[in-house]
Amino acid sequence: MSFYFDVALNLPLNETFIYRGSKEMFSDTNLESYFGRRVSVPFGNRKLTGFIVGIHKSLPESIKIPESKIREIIKIQDQESLLTKELYELAKWISNYYLCSIGESIFAMIPSGKRETDIPGFSFSQDETSFEKKERTLSKEQIDAVNGILKPTEESNLFHYLYGKTGTGKTEVFLSSAEKVLQEGKGVIYLVPEISLTPQVADAVTKRFGNTAAVLHSGLTPSQRLTEWKRILHREARVIIGARSAIFAPVPDLGLIIIDEEHDSSYKAGSSPRYHGRQVAMHRATVNKIPLVMGSATPSVEAYYLMEQKVLEKHILTQRLAGGAMPEIKAVNLSLDKPQGCLSSELIFQMKKTLEEKKQIILFLNRRGFTHFFRCNSCGFEMKCKNCSVNMTFHKKEKRLRCHYCGYNTEVPSQCPECGSLDVGYSGFGTEFIEAEVQSKFPNEKILRIDTDNISKEYPLQERLEDFKNGKYSILLGTQMVAKGLNFPNLSLVGVVLADTSLHLPDFRASEKTFSLITQVAGRAGRFFPDGKVLVQSYSPDREAIDCSVNSRDKEFYEKEIQTRAMLGFPPFTRLLRLVFRSQFKNHAEKAASDSFKILNDMKAEGVQILGPSECPLAMISNNHRIQILLRAKKLATLQKMAKVLLQVYKVPGHVYIETDVDPQNLL
C-alpha cells in the first residue's frame, strides 16, 4: 500500500507534482508530520529535492494518470518539518503576487543546507534572562514611540513609521519594543539592509538579547543557516536579525516585525521571486495581526506618502542623543570652484584643517551612475526625454541620446538647445581616480578605500571598518557601503565628491536616491562632536534633491517629489510591472518583446498604459541583450492579471528568458 504526496520543486513551473511513498518509508502513523519535509524525487532523468506540501491516503480523483505511472519518492531528507503551514500560505501568496512558481517561492525561503553545523563568531556569555535586568533611560519621544507601536491593535494601525534624523535613537526604540514583545513570550523579526554594513545593529541586538538572538547573514553557509532555522523553529532563538530573506524566519508566535532603513533598495530581491521585504512584511503583519514598525531618516517617497495618508502611523524623533549636533552642511558649486581633478579648493582646505586637528575624514562617491550624460557647461542645461522627463543617456557607439523608458532617441546636439553655447560635454569619474588624487595631495596620510572591487576574504569589510574606527587610517574613501548606519567617534568631515552621479540615472527614483544618500552620508558626521562638517560637491547644487538635503528641507523635498510623481503618473500614484526579455541573440529578444506587446495590447484593460518595448538602460548584462516592456496602471491586480495571461499563452522561444518584476525598484 502507498500514500500519495504533492511535492513542490524548484522549477519555473507553477504546479506541484504527485509522487507516491511506501508505507515502510512513511512509517509514522501521524502522516501530517511529513508536511514541509524535504524529499528526493526522480524528475525526468534527474534527481531533485522537493518539499512535501500535500498528503493523500489514496490517489486523488483529480489525478488522471494511472497509479502504475506515478513515480516513487527516493528518500526523506529531514527528520522534522522545515516548512510551516504559515510559511506555505505565505509562499502561495508570493507566487501569486510576484508571478513566480510555488517551488521558487518555497526555495527562496528555506535554507538549502543538508546538515546542521556550528556557527563561528557569535559566542554568548549571557543567559536568556540577563537582558531583562538592565534599566535603560529613554527620552520622552522614545517612550511615546514605543507605547504607540505596541498599543493594542484594536486601537491603532498595524503599520508604524519611526521617522527621525540620523542619531536620534531609532535603534533604541526598536530594541525596547522588541524587549517588551519578548517579555510577552512572543518572537521578533528585525530586518536590516545588509548585516556586513550594519554590524553595529547586529552587535547591539546580540549584546542585548544574548543567545535568544539569531543572526542570519550572507556570510553563513547553507548548513549554518539550517542550524539557525532549527533554533528558531524550536523557540531557542526569539529575536531574528538579518537582511531581506530573514522576513521568512519561521518564528512561532511572531509578535513584532521591524524594518530598519526602510528606504534601502536592497530589500528588493534581484532574482526570481523578485519580492520586496517591506511588502512581504506588511502581508505577514496583516495575517498575524501584529505591529510592523519601519524606520529611516529618509523614508522612501511611497512610505512618506502613506504617512501623509495615515496608512502608516508616524512617530517622530527630533533630539540627537549622543550629544553631537547636526553637522554643518554646505554645497560646493563645481561650475564655479572648478577643480583640477575631482577635489575642489574648498574641500582640500577643509581636509587639511581636519587632519591638523587629528580628526578623520570620509570621502564618498556614489560611483554607480551613467558618467555619460549630456550637459551644457555654460548654463547647466541637461537633455531630458520629451515623453518621460528622464535624463537621456549618451550612447557612444551610435552617437545618439536615448531614453530608456520609451525608446525615444535623438541626435547629439553640437550646441546647447537652451543657450546656444558650444561648450557642451559629458562628465564623471570613479573611486580609483579619487584615491590617486587624494594620495598625491596628502602623501603622508593613510588612506583606506572601500568598494565592492577591493573587499577580500584576507581583509574583510568588518576588519577595515574596525581599523578606521580605531584610527589606523585618517581618510576613508567609499561608495554606498559607507553611507549605511556606521558610527565613527573621531569623524569630523564628510565630503561627497560628486552628488550628481545618481541624479543622472534614467530612473524616476533618481532624485529620491540622491536625496537619501546625501542625507544618510551627512548623518555620519558630528554624531559625537558638535563641530561636524559636510561638503557636497555638485555641478547643479540648485537641483531639488541636492538643495533640499543640504539645507535640511526634507518636507519640501518630499512634497515636491510627490507632486512630480503625481504629474508624471509614477508610484505611489500608479503601480508598475516590468517585463524584461533577455537573450544572447538580440533579434530573438526583440521579437519576443514585440510578440508579447501584441498579446498585451489585445487584452489591454481600461487605464493601463504599455510603455515600450525599448532597450533597457543596461542594454547588455553577462552577454545577454535586454529589452523591456513597462506596464502602468492605478491598480496592480489588473497588471498582474495581464502578465499572468501572457506567461500562460505565450510560448517563449528557447533562447529567450522573461524576467517579471512587480513593483520594480529600478528600471535599469
Side-chain angles (χ1 to χ4, degrees):
M1 186 187 156
S2 295
F3 301 122
Y4 295 89
F5 299 91
D6 298 321
V7 176
L9 299 172
N10 192 8
L11 299 167
L13 303 165
N14 203 12
E15 56 185 310
T16 56
F17 300 88
I18 193 134
Y19 286 91
R20 66 199 169 113
S22 66
K23 222 173 176 183
E24 292 71 47
M25 189 183 285
F26 292 87
S27 55
D28 193 327
T29 49
N30 177 16
L31 269 185
E32 276 303 311
S33 69
Y34 292 105
F35 181 93
R37 294 200 210 180
R38 289 174 298 182
V39 287
S40 304
V41 295
F43 189 85
N45 53 10
R46 295 182 289 167
K47 184 171 129 184
L48 298 180
T49 293
F51 280 88
I52 292 176
V53 293
I55 298 162
H56 315 278
K57 287 187 174 167
S58 58
L59 188 64
E61 284 175 18
S62 56
I63 305 294
K64 300 299 177 220
I65 317 161
E67 250 177 272
S68 56
K69 290 274 173 72
I70 292 175
R71 300 175 81 178
E72 196 148 338
I73 289 173
I74 299 165
K75 75 165 191 184
I76 305 168
Q77 293 183 11
D78 300 308
Q79 296 297 307
E80 61 183 307
S81 170
L82 297 183
L83 177 71
T84 63
K85 288 271 170 70
E86 186 218 346
L87 287 187
Y88 180 50
E89 289 305 316
L90 183 61
K92 289 198 285 194
W93 176 83
I94 286 172
S95 158
N96 191 40
Y97 190 95
Y98 289 105
L99 310 179
C100 61
S101 77
I102 184 69
E104 286 173 317
S105 302
I106 293 171
F107 278 81
M109 293 178 166
I110 312 246
S112 58
K114 289 283 182 276
R115 59 176 192 279
E116 297 169 63
T117 29
D118 290 337
I119 294 169
F122 289 106
S123 57
F124 299 117
S125 52
Q126 295 162 293
D127 66 359
E128 291 194 21
T129 52
S130 63
F131 68 81
E132 293 168 15
K133 293 170 191 165
K134 286 182 189 153
E135 278 300 313
R136 287 175 178 82
T137 46
L138 274 69
S139 69
K140 186 183 180 307
E141 283 182 333
Q142 288 176 315
I143 293 166
D144 290 347
V146 172
N147 292 338
I149 292 160
L150 300 179
K151 257 194 313 206
T153 46
E154 297 78 51
E155 297 168 31
S156 82
N157 197 327
L158 284 179
F159 305 143
H160 300 264
Y161 208 102
L162 192 57
Y163 181 26
K165 289 276 186 197
T166 43
T168 51
K170 290 187 288 294
T171 305
E172 186 49 53
V173 171
F174 292 150
L175 293 176
S176 296
S177 304
E179 204 162 74
K180 290 196 164 180
V181 168
L182 271 188
Q183 284 164 4
E184 290 169 12
K186 293 184 173 166
V188 178
I189 292 177
Y190 190 146
L191 297 186
V192 289
E194 171 54 71
I195 288 284
S196 60
L197 304 179
T198 43
Q200 280 124 327
V201 180
D203 223 32
V205 172
T206 49
K207 277 202 180 96
R208 182 90 152 239
F209 300 119
N211 54 6
T212 52
V215 182
L216 303 176
H217 58 90
S218 51
L220 297 181
T221 65
S223 297
Q224 289 169 339
R225 283 184 81 87
L226 182 65
T227 306
E228 291 295 77
W229 190 266
K230 289 192 174 174
R231 281 185 63 220
I232 298 164
L233 278 170
H234 299 158
R235 294 172 176 266
E236 289 163 24
R238 301 298 282 144
V239 181
I240 288 74
I241 180 164
R244 181 179 66 227
S245 62
I247 190 56
F248 301 128
V251 183
D253 285 333
L254 185 59
L256 174 70
I257 302 173
I258 297 164
I259 304 183
D260 202 355
E261 307 291 358
E262 166 278 330
H263 67 278
D264 199 281
S265 58
S266 67
Y267 284 125
K268 174 81 171 165
S271 57
S272 188
R274 290 178 173 77
Y275 67 92
H276 196 301
R278 179 183 60 208
Q279 200 71 43
V280 178
M282 288 172 98
H283 180 76
R284 248 189 123 170
T286 307
V287 169
N288 289 295
K289 297 187 176 57
I290 57 167
L292 158 67
V293 56
M294 305 173 240
S296 175
T298 54
S300 61
V301 170
E302 285 91 332
Y304 191 91
Y305 179 72
L306 291 175
M307 282 190 261
E308 296 298 293
Q309 300 296 307
K310 306 276 191 289
V311 175
L312 301 178
E313 196 169 316
K314 180 163 62 171
H315 308 276
I316 300 176
L317 299 178
T318 55
Q319 298 160 316
R320 244 186 171 201
L321 302 172
M326 287 307 289
E328 178 196 327
I329 309 180
K330 185 180 174 192
V332 178
N333 190 338
L334 294 179
S335 301
L336 306 175
D337 185 342
K338 289 183 178 168
Q340 293 304 300
C342 54
L343 304 179
S344 61
S345 54
E346 170 129 20
L347 182 54
I348 292 168
F349 169 75
Q350 289 296 348
M351 285 173 75
K352 282 179 180 162
K353 198 171 149 206
T354 304
L355 292 167
E356 278 163 15
E357 292 167 0
K358 299 278 184 284
K359 298 272 175 68
Q360 289 173 303
I361 299 165
I362 288 181
L363 293 182
F364 174 82
L365 172 74
N366 186 18
R367 185 187 46 177
R368 275 206 56 186
F370 287 78
T371 49
H372 299 300
F373 60 89
F374 178 88
R375 185 175 186 285
C376 168
N377 295 324
S378 304
C379 75
F381 171 81
E382 286 161 13
M383 196 79 166
K384 284 183 160 35
C385 168
K386 61 178 184 136
N387 305 324
C388 300
S389 174
V390 174
N391 281 68
M392 296 183 74
T393 307
F394 175 54
H395 282 252
K396 213 171 182 178
K397 257 189 185 163
E398 305 161 24
K399 295 197 168 55
R400 290 185 80 75
L401 290 164
R402 183 178 289 279
C403 168
H404 289 295
Y405 273 54
C406 66
Y408 170 72
N409 65 85
T410 179
E411 284 183 358
V412 180
S414 54
Q415 61 187 65
C416 171
E418 193 77 10
C419 72
S421 164
L422 297 172
D423 186 10
V424 293
Y426 312 91
S427 48
F429 37 73
T431 39
E432 297 87 343
F433 180 88
I434 299 171
E435 186 177 24
E437 188 180 340
V438 174
Q439 200 76 70
S440 68
K441 294 220 164 47
F442 300 95
N444 301 324
E445 298 299 332
K446 288 198 79 181
I447 298 163
L448 174 66
R449 188 179 112 227
I450 292 185
D451 57 28
T452 39
D453 303 337
N454 74 346
I455 283 172
S456 61
K457 274 198 173 121
E458 291 70 49
Y459 193 9
L461 178 66
Q462 197 44 47
E463 214 173 295
R464 285 164 190 258
L465 294 173
E466 212 48 49
D467 285 349
F468 182 68
K469 193 176 185 174
N470 296 334
K472 283 192 184 173
Y473 298 92
S474 48
I475 302 171
L476 170 64
L477 307 178
T479 54
Q480 214 140 346
M481 295 186 160
V482 300
K484 313 279 176 176
L486 306 169
N487 300 339
F488 302 109
N490 199 32
L491 178 69
S492 172
L493 175 68
V494 173
V496 179
V497 177
L498 185 59
D500 310 27
T501 38
S502 53
L503 265 182
H504 302 289
L505 287 167
D507 188 345
F508 71 91
R509 286 195 173 89
S511 286
E512 175 187 344
K513 285 174 181 168
T514 305
F515 173 82
S516 99
L517 270 169
I518 296 171
T519 309
Q520 292 281 342
V521 174
R524 301 294 129 244
R527 287 189 81 156
F528 299 90
F529 298 100
D531 56 354
K533 264 200 178 57
V534 180
L535 288 183
V536 179
Q537 298 192 143
S538 167
Y539 284 107
S540 35
D542 49 351
R543 286 282 288 269
E544 238 151 66
I546 296 170
D547 186 33
C548 288
S549 58
V550 165
N551 295 300
S552 296
R553 296 202 310 273
D554 301 23
K555 193 173 189 306
E556 183 186 325
F557 169 75
Y558 282 110
E559 283 170 358
K560 286 193 172 164
E561 185 63 17
I562 285 168
Q563 276 172 12
T564 307
R565 300 265 187 102
M567 205 166 65
L568 296 172
F570 279 121
F573 299 95
T574 57
R575 302 297 289 271
L576 301 177
L577 194 152
R578 181 189 194 212
L579 298 164
V580 175
F581 302 82
R582 56 179 166 86
S583 172
Q584 289 180 321
F585 309 101
K586 191 177 182 183
N587 56 338
H588 288 201
E590 285 172 338
K591 184 172 185 329
S594 73
D595 290 349
S596 298
F597 175 79
K598 285 181 194 130
I599 295 168
L600 291 165
N601 210 28
D602 286 345
M603 59 171 158
K604 190 169 87 165
E606 200 182 325
V608 174
Q609 254 184 314
I610 304 176
L611 304 177
S614 78
E615 227 176 16
C616 295
L618 298 172
M620 205 168 184
I621 294 181
S622 311
N623 224 6
N624 272 303
H625 296 273
R626 304 166 76 241
I627 310 290
Q628 71 177 2
I629 291 177
L630 204 56
L631 304 178
R632 174 162 70 178
K634 285 260 196 295
K635 286 201 163 61
L636 182 63
T638 321
L639 305 182
Q640 288 164 321
K641 200 173 165 186
M642 284 172 67
K644 253 181 214 161
V645 173
L646 172 72
L647 297 171
Q648 279 162 9
V649 303
Y650 180 52
K651 193 172 182 333
V652 186
H655 296 294
V656 179
Y657 180 78
I658 303 180
E659 288 175 16
T660 313
D661 195 355
V662 176
D663 298 327
Q665 278 300 294
N666 77 50
L667 299 169
L668 307 177

